[in-house]
Amino acid sequence: MRRRLRSVALPLHRHSMPQVGIDAALVALAYFLAFRLRFDNGVPDDYADLQAATIAWVVGASVVVFTLFRLYEKWWRYTGHRDYVNIVEAVTVGTLFVPAFVALTQPVIVRSGRGDVALTVPTGVLALFFLLTLTLVGGARFVSRAVYERPPGGFRARSDARRVLIVGAGDGGRLVLREILRNRDLGLDPVGFVDDDPTKHRVRIDGVRVLGRTDELPRILDEAEPDEVTIAIPSAPGTLRARVVSACRTRGIPVRTLPTVFELLQTGGANVVRQARPVEVEDILGREPVRMELDRVGRYLDGEVVMVTGAGGSIGSELCRQISRVAPRKLILLDHAEDNLFRIQRELEDDRHVHPSTLAVVLADCKEGERMREVFAEHRPTVVFHAAAYKHVGLMELNPVEAVRNNAVATRLLARVAGEHEVKRFVLISTDKAVAPATVMGASKALAEYAVEAAQDRWPRTRFAIVRFGNVLGSSGSVVPIFRRQIARGGPVTVTDLRMTRYFMTIPEAVQLVIRSGSLGQGGEIFVLEMGDPVSIRHLAETMIELSGLRPGEDIAIEEVGRRPGEKLHEDLFNPYERTQPTPAEKITRAERDRLDPAVVEAMFDEVGLLVLEGDAAALAAKVSELTGMRASAALADPPDAPGPQAGRAVL
């Protein structure tokens, strides 16, 4: 109850006036009927006088109470179950006003043999007034919503309406159905539900029957003959979406899906039917999603000053979106790409959940030490997510100096500045390509991991952590955008090796797990996100072609062009010398390994830094490959279980 009274201003607007008038009439009617029903033989004169003397006060007080309890903040047709609880509270307070007012004002005095006595409202009248007011006030809202959702005369689809089958009879499915029933202009006619819950089988939901389970979908499609299918399960696993798409594709029926939970959060969940979009490869290949309460797992960021580097990139921008929802004191967006930074700035400023005063937008390059120290001194971040990195393997092979400068040397610099300013937490976004690296890009990220581990020993007051994961669908370094462009041009879709597999995860899930990992570290850990089963790149290409309504190998050719230098057939998430350890968090494990001596890391970066300054690309590529390879060779020669030359250290 106290949460409703925190605002002094009365939440009224011009659209509230008709609602206030109707409620006033209903309260007056309830008060009048309460007296009439209490006295079977007519209301005695004294009580009739009491009723006449108090009815205006009761109506006025009830309207004020209803206003304070915010019953007029929304149209009645949008009344939900929480609003009905609010109505009960408001009517209770309004009813208690009646005896209190009568006791204080004593409007009617009755003469008796014992002297003058102030007349009170009978308990029966109060009980009846409470029940009648609750019924009339709540009932008016219920009727308004019922009429809005299903107009008088029932739902009549337009003659040209498209027949739609809804997969999922849960909250998402019912929401879709209500939107269709409310909005005839959508031109949709719901023909049934499909749901795997056996308790819903053959049940009618708002007049629409559940026709069967998803494994019966081929039969249901043949019998119902829908024009389209809508998957109304925002958290549906990729396997279910793939099963639905497969059954519909053979019959030429288009499939649409509701946005994911993350997308619905970003849009506020309004007008979900119009937000339904075609099924994409991310929906099918994305593994069963991890469901976390972001408010809970990201609570450690509440009130913190959080910096995200690479804020305009695919991972960095999603980090900004999700972090902005856990109430940081300030969110610092840092990027050296002007267009990307401007795009995420405008997106967050337009988000009604984000107050512009909590955003700080910094155009800067992580490779510039003096600039980074200026930024840290000005904004004093307490948590840093370092997502800025070059990702394109082929491009980095052609530009090894920039790859190492940006991915390795800049990470070492940023970790040093964070340690000097006693940042509480520093999280590096790493990659599976840092495992047994075979390319310059992978080796540069492996060096970045070494730098962060060494920083933990040098600045123990900062909790450094590394989060390693594989490919994310739709990121700037992903193969998915390349395949999309090739399909749009009519093919061919080029695959370097038909045997190749990769791990894939959706960007929102990866970022959610990154945020969770940031709360786990005690200092220097490497957290590895469980990526599920690896996906065949050939299967990925075929799936994307089929989702485009084409046939792989016939409409769009798939060509094998040969692997590039250093490109692996299969990626790994752990080095051979790392031990897999569990963590308290679902889908997050820890890679345990002996840390390099910080002095060794410093010597490594001295050599690398000199080659970067000289711009000797060939020598630099050879050196980083040598350095990362030496660690693996040393670790394999001295297994983790065997006592090394230094306890807890690996020496090159």
mmCIF file of all heavy atoms in Angstrom, residues 366-386:
data_model
loop_
_atom_site.group_PDB
_atom_site.id
_atom_site.type_symbol
_atom_site.label_atom_id
_atom_site.label_comp_id
_atom_site.label_asym_id
_atom_site.label_seq_id
_atom_site.Cartn_x
_atom_site.Cartn_y
_atom_site.Cartn_z
ATOM 1 N N CYS A 366 42.001 3.294 -27.135
ATOM 2 C CA CYS A 366 42.591 2.576 -25.997
ATOM 3 C C CYS A 366 44.108 2.431 -26.127
ATOM 4 O O CYS A 366 44.780 2.101 -25.140
ATOM 5 C CB CYS A 366 41.971 1.186 -25.873
ATOM 6 S SG CYS A 366 40.226 1.186 -25.451
ATOM 7 N N LYS A 367 44.659 2.660 -27.296
ATOM 8 C CA LYS A 367 46.099 2.505 -27.495
ATOM 9 C C LYS A 367 46.885 3.721 -27.003
ATOM 10 O O LYS A 367 48.104 3.669 -26.906
ATOM 11 C CB LYS A 367 46.402 2.271 -28.982
ATOM 12 C CG LYS A 367 45.734 1.033 -29.558
ATOM 13 C CD LYS A 367 46.218 0.719 -30.972
ATOM 14 C CE LYS A 367 45.740 1.732 -31.992
ATOM 15 N NZ LYS A 367 44.280 1.652 -32.221
ATOM 16 N N GLU A 368 46.187 4.811 -26.709
ATOM 17 C CA GLU A 368 46.856 6.051 -26.311
ATOM 18 C C GLU A 368 46.870 6.169 -24.788
ATOM 19 O O GLU A 368 45.837 6.436 -24.155
ATOM 20 C CB GLU A 368 46.147 7.247 -26.937
ATOM 21 C CG GLU A 368 46.163 7.220 -28.462
ATOM 22 C CD GLU A 368 45.400 8.371 -29.073
ATOM 23 O OE1 GLU A 368 44.868 9.200 -28.302
ATOM 24 O OE2 GLU A 368 45.316 8.445 -30.312
ATOM 25 N N GLY A 369 48.055 5.992 -24.204
ATOM 26 C CA GLY A 369 48.175 5.945 -22.749
ATOM 27 C C GLY A 369 47.755 7.220 -22.053
ATOM 28 O O GLY A 369 47.002 7.190 -21.071
ATOM 29 N N GLU A 370 48.224 8.375 -22.534
ATOM 30 C CA GLU A 370 47.895 9.633 -21.881
ATOM 31 C C GLU A 370 46.397 9.919 -21.938
ATOM 32 O O GLU A 370 45.805 10.397 -20.972
ATOM 33 C CB GLU A 370 48.679 10.786 -22.526
ATOM 34 C CG GLU A 370 50.164 10.763 -22.221
ATOM 35 C CD GLU A 370 50.438 10.710 -20.725
ATOM 36 O OE1 GLU A 370 49.818 11.493 -19.977
ATOM 37 O OE2 GLU A 370 51.256 9.871 -20.300
ATOM 38 N N ARG A 371 45.799 9.607 -23.073
ATOM 39 C CA ARG A 371 44.357 9.831 -23.210
ATOM 40 C C ARG A 371 43.586 8.938 -22.253
ATOM 41 O O ARG A 371 42.602 9.368 -21.632
ATOM 42 C CB ARG A 371 43.932 9.565 -24.658
ATOM 43 C CG ARG A 371 42.440 9.706 -24.900
ATOM 44 C CD ARG A 371 41.976 11.137 -24.743
ATOM 45 N NE ARG A 371 40.577 11.283 -25.099
ATOM 46 C CZ ARG A 371 39.666 11.889 -24.346
ATOM 47 N NH1 ARG A 371 40.029 12.435 -23.188
ATOM 48 N NH2 ARG A 371 38.419 12.001 -24.743
ATOM 49 N N MET A 372 44.011 7.690 -22.094
ATOM 50 C CA MET A 372 43.321 6.782 -21.182
ATOM 51 C C MET A 372 43.444 7.266 -19.732
ATOM 52 O O MET A 372 42.481 7.202 -18.961
ATOM 53 C CB MET A 372 43.889 5.368 -21.305
ATOM 54 C CG MET A 372 43.486 4.628 -22.579
ATOM 55 S SD MET A 372 41.691 4.426 -22.767
ATOM 56 C CE MET A 372 41.296 5.779 -23.879
ATOM 57 N N ARG A 373 44.607 7.773 -19.381
ATOM 58 C CA ARG A 373 44.767 8.284 -18.011
ATOM 59 C C ARG A 373 43.886 9.517 -17.784
ATOM 60 O O ARG A 373 43.351 9.712 -16.687
ATOM 61 C CB ARG A 373 46.239 8.597 -17.745
ATOM 62 C CG ARG A 373 47.092 7.331 -17.607
ATOM 63 C CD ARG A 373 48.548 7.637 -17.246
ATOM 64 N NE ARG A 373 49.250 6.404 -16.933
ATOM 65 C CZ ARG A 373 49.835 5.616 -17.855
ATOM 66 N NH1 ARG A 373 49.792 5.979 -19.139
ATOM 67 N NH2 ARG A 373 50.452 4.516 -17.493
ATOM 68 N N GLU A 374 43.731 10.340 -18.816
ATOM 69 C CA GLU A 374 42.829 11.490 -18.703
ATOM 70 C C GLU A 374 41.388 11.026 -18.466
ATOM 71 O O GLU A 374 40.679 11.578 -17.613
ATOM 72 C CB GLU A 374 42.887 12.328 -19.987
ATOM 73 C CG GLU A 374 44.175 13.091 -20.201
ATOM 74 C CD GLU A 374 44.181 13.787 -21.556
ATOM 75 O OE1 GLU A 374 43.167 13.675 -22.288
ATOM 76 O OE2 GLU A 374 45.199 14.430 -21.897
ATOM 77 N N VAL A 375 40.976 10.035 -19.223
ATOM 78 C CA VAL A 375 39.597 9.533 -19.102
ATOM 79 C C VAL A 375 39.367 8.941 -17.726
ATOM 80 O O VAL A 375 38.342 9.207 -17.076
ATOM 81 C CB VAL A 375 39.313 8.491 -20.204
ATOM 82 C CG1 VAL A 375 37.956 7.836 -19.977
ATOM 83 C CG2 VAL A 375 39.351 9.138 -21.587
ATOM 84 N N PHE A 376 40.305 8.122 -17.246
ATOM 85 C CA PHE A 376 40.146 7.509 -15.922
ATOM 86 C C PHE A 376 40.160 8.559 -14.822
ATOM 87 O O PHE A 376 39.417 8.453 -13.839
ATOM 88 C CB PHE A 376 41.247 6.474 -15.689
ATOM 89 C CG PHE A 376 40.935 5.104 -16.234
ATOM 90 C CD1 PHE A 376 40.921 4.872 -17.596
ATOM 91 C CD2 PHE A 376 40.637 4.051 -15.386
ATOM 92 C CE1 PHE A 376 40.640 3.621 -18.122
ATOM 93 C CE2 PHE A 376 40.342 2.793 -15.889
ATOM 94 C CZ PHE A 376 40.345 2.567 -17.251
ATOM 95 N N ALA A 377 41.004 9.575 -14.968
ATOM 96 C CA ALA A 377 41.064 10.625 -13.944
ATOM 97 C C ALA A 377 39.782 11.447 -13.925
ATOM 98 O O ALA A 377 39.316 11.871 -12.855
ATOM 99 C CB ALA A 377 42.265 11.532 -14.211
ATOM 100 N N GLU A 378 39.182 11.663 -15.086
ATOM 101 C CA GLU A 378 37.964 12.476 -15.153
ATOM 102 C C GLU A 378 36.737 11.723 -14.664
ATOM 103 O O GLU A 378 35.931 12.261 -13.888
ATOM 104 C CB GLU A 378 37.740 12.943 -16.593
ATOM 105 C CG GLU A 378 36.462 13.764 -16.774
ATOM 106 C CD GLU A 378 36.223 14.167 -18.217
ATOM 107 O OE1 GLU A 378 37.082 13.882 -19.076
ATOM 108 O OE2 GLU A 378 35.162 14.780 -18.486
ATOM 109 N N HIS A 379 36.572 10.481 -15.105
ATOM 110 C CA HIS A 379 35.326 9.755 -14.830
ATOM 111 C C HIS A 379 35.418 8.766 -13.667
ATOM 112 O O HIS A 379 34.387 8.318 -13.173
ATOM 113 C CB HIS A 379 34.877 9.012 -16.093
ATOM 114 C CG HIS A 379 34.534 9.915 -17.231
ATOM 115 N ND1 HIS A 379 33.370 10.642 -17.266
ATOM 116 C CD2 HIS A 379 35.216 10.226 -18.372
ATOM 117 C CE1 HIS A 379 33.327 11.355 -18.391
ATOM 118 N NE2 HIS A 379 34.439 11.119 -19.079
ATOM 119 N N ARG A 380 36.615 8.390 -13.257
ATOM 120 C CA ARG A 380 36.813 7.487 -12.126
ATOM 121 C C ARG A 380 35.961 6.216 -12.229
ATOM 122 O O ARG A 380 35.141 5.919 -11.343
ATOM 123 C CB ARG A 380 36.495 8.199 -10.811
ATOM 124 C CG ARG A 380 37.433 9.354 -10.499
ATOM 125 C CD ARG A 380 38.814 8.834 -10.134
ATOM 126 N NE ARG A 380 39.776 9.906 -9.912
ATOM 127 C CZ ARG A 380 41.062 9.682 -9.625
ATOM 128 N NH1 ARG A 380 41.496 8.433 -9.547
ATOM 129 N NH2 ARG A 380 41.881 10.681 -9.454
ATOM 130 N N PRO A 381 36.123 5.421 -13.282
ATOM 131 C CA PRO A 381 35.337 4.183 -13.383
ATOM 132 C C PRO A 381 35.711 3.205 -12.268
ATOM 133 O O PRO A 381 36.878 3.141 -11.850
ATOM 134 C CB PRO A 381 35.722 3.628 -14.751
ATOM 135 C CG PRO A 381 37.074 4.197 -15.034
ATOM 136 C CD PRO A 381 37.059 5.571 -14.414
ATOM 137 N N THR A 382 34.736 2.472 -11.802
ATOM 138 C CA THR A 382 34.987 1.446 -10.781
ATOM 139 C C THR A 382 34.913 0.038 -11.363
ATOM 140 O O THR A 382 35.409 -0.902 -10.748
ATOM 141 C CB THR A 382 33.965 1.575 -9.639
ATOM 142 O OG1 THR A 382 32.633 1.482 -10.181
ATOM 143 C CG2 THR A 382 34.114 2.908 -8.931
ATOM 144 N N VAL A 383 34.277 -0.111 -12.524
ATOM 145 C CA VAL A 383 34.200 -1.401 -13.212
ATOM 146 C C VAL A 383 34.474 -1.151 -14.691
ATOM 147 O O VAL A 383 33.910 -0.216 -15.274
ATOM 148 C CB VAL A 383 32.812 -2.072 -13.047
ATOM 149 C CG1 VAL A 383 32.773 -3.414 -13.787
ATOM 150 C CG2 VAL A 383 32.478 -2.269 -11.576
ATOM 151 N N VAL A 384 35.338 -1.973 -15.286
ATOM 152 C CA VAL A 384 35.691 -1.812 -16.699
ATOM 153 C C VAL A 384 35.444 -3.133 -17.426
ATOM 154 O O VAL A 384 35.926 -4.183 -16.989
ATOM 155 C CB VAL A 384 37.164 -1.396 -16.880
ATOM 156 C CG1 VAL A 384 37.537 -1.360 -18.363
ATOM 157 C CG2 VAL A 384 37.416 -0.037 -16.234
ATOM 158 N N PHE A 385 34.684 -3.063 -18.523
ATOM 159 C CA PHE A 385 34.537 -4.191 -19.445
ATOM 160 C C PHE A 385 35.295 -3.826 -20.714
ATOM 161 O O PHE A 385 34.909 -2.903 -21.430
ATOM 162 C CB PHE A 385 33.064 -4.451 -19.764
ATOM 163 C CG PHE A 385 32.283 -5.044 -18.631
ATOM 164 C CD1 PHE A 385 31.624 -4.218 -17.729
ATOM 165 C CD2 PHE A 385 32.204 -6.414 -18.454
ATOM 166 C CE1 PHE A 385 30.897 -4.744 -16.680
ATOM 167 C CE2 PHE A 385 31.490 -6.953 -17.400
ATOM 168 C CZ PHE A 385 30.831 -6.120 -16.510
ATOM 169 N N HIS A 386 36.373 -4.544 -20.974
ATOM 170 C CA HIS A 386 37.235 -4.216 -22.119
ATOM 171 C C HIS A 386 36.840 -5.091 -23.301
ATOM 172 O O HIS A 386 37.273 -6.242 -23.431
ATOM 173 C CB HIS A 386 38.702 -4.440 -21.742
ATOM 174 C CG HIS A 386 39.665 -4.091 -22.831
ATOM 175 N ND1 HIS A 386 39.493 -3.006 -23.672
ATOM 176 C CD2 HIS A 386 40.828 -4.682 -23.234
ATOM 177 C CE1 HIS A 386 40.493 -2.945 -24.533
ATOM 178 N NE2 HIS A 386 41.315 -3.961 -24.297
#
